[in-house]
Amino acid sequence: TDYATILTETRGRVGWITLNRPEALNALNAQVMHDVVDAAEAFDADAGIGAIVLTGSERAFAAGADIKEMEALSGSEMLLADHFGKWSRFAAVRTPTIAAVSGYALGGGCELAMMCDIILAADSARFGQPEIGLGVIPGLGGTQRLVRAIGSFKAAELVLTGRQLTADEAERAGLVSRVVAAADLPDEAQRTAETIASKPLPALYAATAALDVAVESTLAEGLRFERQAFAGLFDTADQKEGMAAFREKRAPEFRHR
Ligand code: HXC
């Protein structure tokens, strides 16, 4: 499929989505939202894909929502058109998602990275929520996911000052899974994605769902969900194969079912 604002590619069992609006540092306009969500959902529906990498350019993962596009909107237009609503479908993708971040991940760009399961950062990456300087606040989860990721006091400093975190600061704060040299980012992202995609798909889906429940609910609800999801996996062919392979001291051959 051809998209206007992204490039897509399949490398083995890994689906790649590359934001491609270099003239605007990958600012997230409505077309980007439609393209990314459509591409991610297509990968999600494909049992041949076991991990999705979302990335940008060397200079910018994404410099935020498109300021020029939203500047003139009224509050009621924003509400009625649910201008950014479709992004929630990206967060709901079951296939594990990896944000491979180089350069700016600001505003909606930082929020989009936080919708992924894993954030890999180049040493050049910069994370921030600069919305306060535009007279608004984060609107795609920045005040919520950032608090859960790095804690309320670190999150408050970023949201109230607009200050950017370096890749190393973001890693120490717990926002970034791992920092790599900028030149190694694509290979590291592919390697991590391949490792994930080689695992049985039903267990991957159960794991991403359970990890999401952990940040969305109470401990008691999360433990209940985990117990059910764990039990459900015992009805999958891949669980029988994985455990038989262990017993027979051989490599498992998963069929992703
Ligand atoms: C529209 C943007 C953009 C954005 C950059 N551009 N960010 N266009 N929306 N968010 C455009 C610039 O206008 C410029 O195009 C081109 O990209 C290159 O950017 P420069 O500013 O010339 O680059 P540089 O001087 O290197 O500065 C990089 C930067 C800066 C520090 C990242 O671009 C910047 O501050 N951008 C805005 C960051 C921001 O405030 N993001 C939050 C947006 S609000 P032209 O054609 O003019 O040269 C948000 C809300 C999310 O994300 C909530 C949604 C519900």
Side-chain angles (χ1 to χ4, degrees), residues 23-25 27 59 63-68 70 84 107-108 111 130-131 139:
E23 73 285 0
L25 300 183
R59 200 168 154 219
D66 191 314
I67 298 168
K68 294 162 191 170
M70 65 185 163
F84 295 101
E111 295 170 301
E131 288 91 340

Side-chain angles (χ1 to χ4, degrees), residues 72-159:
L73 292 179
S74 70
S76 59
E77 280 169 334
M78 189 67 88
L79 276 175
L80 292 174
D82 197 12
H83 194 72
F84 295 101
K86 191 174 174 180
W87 279 119
S88 60
R89 285 163 53 182
F90 179 76
V93 160
R94 299 186 302 166
T95 307
T97 46
I98 300 175
V101 176
S102 180
Y104 296 112
L106 302 179
C110 184
E111 295 170 301
L112 181 56
M114 289 193 289
M115 288 182 207
C116 294
D117 296 299
I118 291 173
I119 303 180
L120 285 186
D123 46 22
S124 64
R126 296 291 180 273
F127 297 85
Q129 300 288 166
E131 288 91 340
I132 198 80
L134 298 168
V136 293
I137 64 171
L140 270 177
T143 62
Q144 305 301 302
R145 289 198 176 90
L146 202 56
V147 166
R148 285 162 172 77
I150 69 177
S152 63
F153 294 102
K154 282 184 188 291
E157 198 225 341
L158 296 190
V159 168

